[in-house]
Amino acid sequence: MEPQPTATRTEQHATHAIETVFRLESPRIIAAVTRLVRDIGIAEELAQDALVAALEQWPRDGVPDNPGAWLMAIARRRAVDLVRRRENYARKLAEIGRSLETTVPPEEPADPDDIDDDLLRLVFTACHPVLSAEARIALTLRLLGGLTTTEIARAFLTPEPTVAQRIVRAKRTLATKNIAFEVPYGPEREARLGSVLDVIYLIFNEGYAVTVGDDWLRPALCEDALRLARVLSSLMPKEPEVHALASLLEFQSSRAAARTGPNGEPVLLRDQNRRRWNRMLIARGIQALHRADATATGAPGPYALQAAIAACHAHAYTYEETDWASIATLYGLLAARTPSPVVELNRAVAVSMADGPGPALEIVDALAGEPALREYHLLPSVRGDLLQRLGRTAEAREEFVRAAGLARNERERELLLARAEECGS
């Protein structure tokens, strides 16, 4: 008989592999199955069924050579079983279920504006105008990004039950309205584009600075978001904000290698080794920003402003060379275009570098009563930094400790506690 510790290690390895693979593959499984069954809610159930099967079999039989394909195959088989068990499903769904294992779905009519990418189909479907803007973003983050309701709530600065209700209602609405699983074209595509860009950006942000867990980065989410932004940019060459979002994500991605230390700990912007910044991605970001500028016909949009801010950082070979005055000005324009307490907090950071911590502290203190920032750990974190620079170390320590208590990411919590220690007791 195998020793018990060995069996336990095997089970732990399989469980970790299941969690990792499902997190990476679930968006593709949901997207592919949705294209077949034409119902996002059912597709997510099938993906969850595949996860349960993996939890039952992988610890016993071992992790398969191609775990993503294994999960996809199980989801397809479960589709047939589900249709056969539930007689109250529509006849069309039953017909799809009976032929699912053996029949290749017919080719959809060719259209010059068609986007043949299941992940993008999933994004545009989840961003249908029958849903509220909040529901569109929450649903797509859940399906495409594989995020939990807790993570989405943190991204939204919204209570978790509210996000959960949005997701449930959104799936129900798409099913009852019989929304087609497609990427629209013409005016309808334009109407959904803003929400799609917001979704891609939020997915990237969750990978770039993970809100919950032990890891600081989740590279797969960043890669998916960047890929989607690039595809959209190539398919919509006359849309400046599409190019601007692609530019912003290229710039942000260029810093990925420098944002963590040898043990995965976060490295702040001022301490990053800029020789590790990816110059190829920076060049791509500059090119995309030029395309955004060339196609713009009016005032720059929010993504163009954010990309311009990122470009200021990319052009500085050292932290001290950063053009903080321009960044503060750009944040002022962004705050006017899209008022937000988070944007104002970022503006305060730029102001602190351009004009000193005193004026910035006034901005931060004015945000103290904002309900949306009540549980936002970066507010006391920024305030602690400003107080430390002003020599008010005892107050700074209290702010860093408070920020650590609010942080949900373990790596970030450790960093904040370390900064509190720097301020003494």
Side-chain angles (χ1 to χ4, degrees):
M1 178 180 293
E2 292 281 335
Q4 184 61 36
T6 302
T8 301
R9 284 196 298 270
T10 300
E11 291 175 0
Q12 290 176 344
H13 170 72
T15 300
H16 179 71
I18 292 167
E19 292 173 352
T20 301
V21 172
F22 189 75
R23 188 85 185 219
L24 295 175
E25 297 295 334
S26 63
R28 293 175 177 82
I29 295 170
I30 293 170
V33 175
T34 300
R35 187 172 188 179
L36 295 170
V37 302
R38 304 288 169 169
D39 188 301
I40 286 177
I42 293 174
E44 189 177 20
E45 288 182 14
L46 298 176
Q48 292 292 332
D49 283 348
L51 172 62
V52 171
L55 288 168
E56 292 173 349
Q57 297 183 38
W58 292 10
R60 182 188 67 228
D61 302 335
V63 179
D65 293 335
N66 191 334
W70 190 97
L71 288 168
M72 180 68 79
I74 292 296
R76 290 169 63 90
R77 292 173 193 156
R78 298 289 183 182
V80 177
D81 294 340
L82 185 63
V83 169
R84 289 171 177 168
R85 284 199 309 267
R86 298 182 179 180
E87 296 180 354
N88 62 330
Y89 276 142
R91 182 178 301 276
K92 182 178 180 181
L93 181 58
E95 292 171 355
I96 292 173
R98 285 195 295 271
S99 63
L100 190 57
E101 291 181 315
T102 58
T103 304
V104 176
E107 293 292 330
E108 297 187 0
D111 184 275
D113 288 328
D114 185 50
I115 301 178
D116 188 20
D117 186 298
D118 281 341
L119 287 174
L120 280 171
R121 291 173 188 267
L122 186 60
V123 176
F124 271 91
T125 301
C127 291
H128 197 280
V130 298
L131 305 176
S132 69
E134 294 82 3
R136 298 173 207 172
I137 296 172
L139 179 61
T140 309
L141 283 170
R142 177 78 179 96
L143 299 176
L144 182 74
L147 307 187
T148 65
T149 53
T150 299
E151 292 166 337
I152 298 169
R154 292 287 292 179
F156 274 127
L157 302 179
T158 302
E160 188 173 340
T162 301
V163 173
Q165 289 175 359
R166 286 174 183 169
I167 293 171
V168 170
R169 290 171 182 167
K171 288 189 289 188
R172 186 184 301 128
T173 298
L174 291 176
T176 56
K177 299 283 187 180
N178 293 318
I179 301 301
F181 182 62
E182 64 182 5
V183 176
Y185 58 93
E188 189 178 353
R189 180 182 296 177
E190 301 302 321
R192 289 197 232 172
L193 183 57
S195 291
V196 170
L197 296 182
D198 290 344
V199 165
I200 293 173
Y201 184 47
L202 282 172
I203 291 171
F204 181 89
N205 278 346
E206 181 56 33
Y208 193 69
V210 179
T211 54
V212 179
D214 297 330
D215 297 323
W216 178 239
L217 295 174
R218 193 176 295 154
L221 285 181
C222 294
E223 291 166 5
D224 267 342
L226 181 55
R227 183 184 70 84
L228 291 170
R230 287 172 176 172
V231 170
L232 278 179
S233 182
S234 66
L235 289 166
M236 301 181 177
K238 297 181 181 179
E239 290 292 337
E241 279 292 83
V242 174
H243 296 308
L245 177 63
S247 172
L248 174 60
L249 301 195
E250 300 281 7
F251 284 132
Q252 300 289 66
S253 297
S254 72
R255 306 180 207 161
R259 294 186 69 244
T260 54
N263 299 315
E265 69 276 11
V267 178
L268 298 176
L269 180 64
R270 65 168 178 254
D271 300 323
Q272 289 176 17
N273 180 356
R274 300 194 176 206
R275 288 176 294 182
R276 299 188 67 195
W277 287 10
N278 189 316
R279 307 312 299 185
M280 182 191 71
L281 292 180
I282 289 175
R284 290 182 64 109
I286 293 171
Q287 291 171 358
L289 186 55
H290 286 162
R291 288 194 293 270
D293 291 338
T295 54
T297 56
Y303 289 114
L305 291 169
Q306 291 179 76
I309 291 168
C312 289
H313 290 295
H315 285 304
Y317 285 94
T318 66
Y319 186 74
E320 292 70 25
E321 294 175 14
T322 307
D323 186 356
W324 289 107
S326 292
I327 292 176
T329 299
L330 288 166
Y331 268 122
L333 294 173
L334 182 61
R337 181 69 184 265
T338 55
S340 160
V342 174
V343 172
E344 193 68 4
L345 184 62
N346 287 329
R347 186 175 76 87
V349 174
V351 168
S352 77
M353 299 305 299
D355 303 325
L361 185 60
E362 294 180 8
I363 298 173
V364 171
D365 286 345
L367 295 171
E370 286 286 345
L373 298 183
R374 186 173 294 116
E375 302 297 323
Y376 192 49
H377 69 286
L378 292 182
L379 178 62
S381 174
V382 170
R383 192 169 190 274
D385 181 75
L386 298 176
L387 290 169
Q388 185 180 32
R389 289 165 58 189
L390 288 168
R392 296 160 60 178
T393 54
E395 296 172 79
R397 185 180 188 280
E398 292 180 3
E399 292 297 319
F400 285 132
V401 170
R402 187 162 73 92
L406 293 173
R408 302 290 294 279
N409 181 279
E410 187 59 34
R411 296 290 191 177
E412 198 166 13
R413 184 182 297 116
E414 291 172 358
L415 175 65
L416 290 165
L417 290 175
R419 296 208 63 188
E421 287 297 316
E422 292 174 3
C423 297
S425 57

